[in-house]
Amino acid sequence: MSRRRRVYEGKAKVLYEGPEPGTLIQHFKDDATANNNQKHATIEGKGVLNNRISEFIFTKLNDIGVPTHFIRSINMREQLIREVEIIPCEVVVRNVAAGSLTKRLGIEEGTQLPRSIIEFYYKNDELGDPMVSEEHITAFGWATPQEIDDMMALALRVNDFMAGLFLGIGIRLVDFKVEFGRLYEGDMVRVVLADEISPDSCRLWDIRTNDKLDKDRFRQDMGGLIEAYQEVARRLGILFENEPKRRGPTLVK
Ligand code: UDP
């Protein structure tokens, strides 16, 4: 097998050149980082679970007409995606107070927010991804006002879809981070959902016990990260070990 050309390597993923122009292969690694790279570990099996969960969510989003970079699954760690120009803004949607919001505004963790809140962060590791406003984004040319509108509208659709999906399997969607890219098609360009959606990029709490089923287990040294990610996959109906035929979420009453 010939060696593939590595286009980009991030903290938890590698991008390789795809089989056709305009495509890439997104490979999920087992690496975990937190606190702006100060904490690092390899957690065996995390990449496989994140690939599976992200592929499931992106497929469903494509199905409901949310444009994404996802084309198809390739293997347990890899997916074929469209090459996009990543907009250098992380978009966070919050439903319940947690993480940096609790520290910044002194709101108690677990407080239901009056409505879903969108925040933007400038993607820059050296600066530790600082929070920015729409003013910064347009003034520095990171995205146009139209692109900001598109990102906000898509982020809210993703939030509504995922909040319902997770509620049905007994999980509260506390918050999540998404990234968007510009997809160039001929002389057209449009904003599509990119990157990944997994327990690495969401806060997911069990509705009954408030158990954390996400990367906070790593950030807060709680242990049991793989078991938590497996539980999310199992409830989504995509962990096949003992149930090869069943696909799709099982409603939790
Ligand atoms: N998040 C992420 N990558 C980042 C920062 C945040 O995926 O670089 C996710 C995080 O998992 C959470 C949400 O975005 O679901 C909001 O994170 P927050 O701003 O509270 O930051 P944190 O406390 O995680 O540093």
Side-chain angles (χ1 to χ4, degrees):
M1 205 170 89
S2 63
R3 276 191 77 78
R4 294 181 296 187
R5 197 168 74 83
R6 186 182 309 210
V7 178
Y8 170 84
E9 175 143 15
K11 287 167 247 175
K13 295 190 291 291
V14 188
L15 296 179
Y16 295 99
E17 208 168 56
E20 290 148 35
T23 64
L24 295 172
I25 291 166
Q26 179 164 254
H27 175 108
F28 288 72
K29 299 191 284 184
D30 283 339
D31 299 54
T33 59
N35 299 339
N36 198 28
N37 272 335
Q38 286 170 34
K39 190 168 164 177
H40 180 266
T42 304
I43 304 172
E44 207 183 315
K46 180 173 82 77
V48 170
L49 284 159
N50 279 351
N51 178 41
R52 190 81 191 90
I53 294 169
S54 194
E55 161 204 310
F56 177 79
I57 293 173
F58 271 70
T59 301
K60 297 276 176 210
L61 288 170
N62 277 341
D63 287 349
I64 62 162
V66 172
T68 84
H69 72 163
F70 179 81
I71 302 173
R72 65 178 162 82
S73 162
I74 295 177
N75 58 43
M76 279 166 69
R77 280 188 189 273
E78 294 178 329
Q79 42 185 252
L80 185 67
I81 59 169
R82 282 180 218 291
E83 184 171 22
V84 298
E85 180 181 275
I86 291 288
I87 295 173
C89 301
E90 298 190 342
V91 181
V92 167
V93 183
R94 301 179 183 276
N95 302 304
V96 175
S100 64
L101 181 82
T102 59
K103 292 184 205 133
R104 197 180 322 116
L105 301 181
I107 301 174
E108 198 187 339
E109 185 181 75
T111 309
Q112 182 77 37
L113 299 173
R115 61 175 172 81
S116 301
I117 294 173
I118 300 181
E119 296 171 349
F120 296 101
Y121 294 83
Y122 177 45
K123 261 172 79 75
N124 185 311
D125 282 342
E126 270 168 47
L127 301 175
D129 296 346
M131 186 164 146
V132 292
S133 73
E134 293 173 48
E135 281 285 285
H136 297 104
I137 296 172
T138 51
F140 295 116
W142 300 325
T144 65
Q146 179 62 55
E147 287 172 335
I148 294 178
D149 283 354
D150 291 349
M151 289 194 287
M152 291 178 77
L154 290 171
L156 289 177
R157 286 190 68 195
V158 172
N159 185 48
D160 285 348
F161 172 76
M162 288 216 295
L165 173 72
F166 283 116
L167 185 63
I169 55 170
I171 292 173
R172 185 160 13 151
L173 177 64
V174 171
D175 57 31
F176 65 93
K177 182 266 301 183
V178 279
E179 296 185 22
F180 294 92
R182 297 183 186 97
L183 180 63
Y184 291 90
E185 292 170 311
D187 51 7
M188 297 281 285
V189 54
R190 62 186 173 124
V191 173
V192 304
L193 187 69
D195 193 48
E196 68 173 285
I197 298 180
S198 72
D200 269 9
S201 57
C202 302
R203 284 198 172 91
L204 304 169
W205 296 355
D206 183 274
I207 289 203
R208 271 196 292 255
T209 63
N210 276 333
D211 268 0
K212 295 182 184 194
L213 303 173
D214 56 58
K215 198 170 142 186
D216 272 352
R217 300 201 77 88
F218 172 69
R219 294 189 189 101
Q220 299 171 8
D221 296 314
M222 298 166 78
L225 180 127
I226 285 296
E227 292 74 10
Y229 285 29
Q230 274 173 346
E231 178 63 15
V232 173
R234 190 187 63 74
R235 291 196 202 179
L236 285 171
I238 54 176
L239 192 73
F240 294 131
E241 276 165 353
N242 297 317
E243 42 182 356
K245 289 223 174 68
R246 208 166 56 72
R247 276 169 192 259
T250 309
L251 188 66
V252 171
K253 298 197 180 90

